[in-house]
Amino acid sequence: MTSPRFGLAVAASLMAMSTAGAASAQATSERPALLNQLVECRSLTDSGARLDCYDRASEALDAAERQGEVVVVDRAQVSETRRQLFGFDLPSMPSFITRGETEERLDAIETTLVRASQAGDGKWTFRLANGSTWSQIDSGRVRFRNREGEAVRIRRAALGSYQMVFDGSRAVRVRRQ
């Protein structure tokens, strides 16, 4: 099970760029300076000089990645992070993550219930198998089977709100915690 804090840490990692020269690299291109240096090695015609250039640039890029100055993620990791962060009010993903494609909008998730508890005011808090926690924000009565493994669907609703539906239940307005 993944915690919401893990999801936020992943989002922060996704937004991290190379600290050395990242501002200037961002101003002229969407690539970090270290990646540009590696790519520029291709323009060298002398084989020995090109190899030396690749060796230096790849070592610098590898060291920066190991130290956390550059983060490399693939599309599958980006998609999974979007799923983990569903329901949080965050800015859209930076353009370097969605380069060459339109940002996919996740409109709903499906998971299962781990546990639900009711507060003194009659509102429910739902803990789900994907690690997220959601709280009821409307005052309507909720009818569902409060058992682990119960199927849950959460979808975007109007004006930035979310609705949770259990099999056969009415939609419950919820907020991610």
Side-chain angles (χ1 to χ4, degrees):
M1 181 181 330
T2 306
S3 73
R5 284 188 180 153
F6 173 76
L8 290 175
V10 170
S13 295
L14 287 173
M15 295 178 193
M17 293 294 289
S18 171
T19 55
S24 63
Q26 287 294 314
T28 59
S29 76
E30 294 187 23
R31 290 180 163 175
L34 291 170
L35 182 57
N36 283 335
Q37 290 169 5
L38 181 68
V39 171
E40 288 169 4
C41 292
R42 287 189 296 199
S43 66
L44 298 176
T45 56
D46 179 79
S47 297
R50 188 171 52 252
L51 180 59
D52 287 343
C53 180
Y54 274 128
D55 286 345
R56 282 190 313 275
S58 66
E59 176 55 38
L61 184 60
D62 183 49
E65 191 272 335
R66 279 187 272 120
Q67 295 171 0
E69 294 174 4
V70 171
V71 177
V72 179
V73 295
D74 61 24
R75 295 270 178 235
Q77 291 170 309
V78 170
S79 293
E80 179 58 26
T81 299
R82 285 183 179 135
R83 289 188 52 73
Q84 290 175 359
L85 297 174
F86 182 79
F88 283 125
D89 187 22
L90 298 173
S92 62
M93 294 289 191
S95 62
F96 70 88
I97 292 175
T98 58
R99 182 179 316 147
E101 66 181 48
T102 58
E103 183 174 342
E104 72 182 58
R105 177 181 159 107
L106 189 60
D107 290 322
I109 60 167
E110 294 182 8
T111 186
T112 58
L113 180 69
V114 171
R115 180 175 66 246
S117 57
Q118 197 170 23
D121 62 359
K123 294 184 178 181
W124 289 88
T125 299
F126 306 96
R127 287 168 187 74
L128 305 179
N130 67 355
S132 64
T133 300
W134 297 77
S135 295
Q136 179 184 4
I137 58 173
D138 64 11
S139 56
R141 184 178 170 127
V142 182
R143 292 194 174 140
F144 68 103
R145 290 183 296 246
N146 187 0
R147 63 178 183 183
E148 186 172 352
E150 186 72 19
V152 176
R153 184 171 194 269
I154 303 170
R155 65 179 169 87
R156 290 184 192 272
L159 303 173
S161 64
Y162 295 87
Q163 291 183 330
M164 177 182 287
V165 177
F166 293 91
D167 186 35
S169 75
R170 73 164 187 86
V172 178
R173 199 161 300 279
V174 291
R175 176 179 298 128
R176 177 96 186 248
Q177 300 300 303

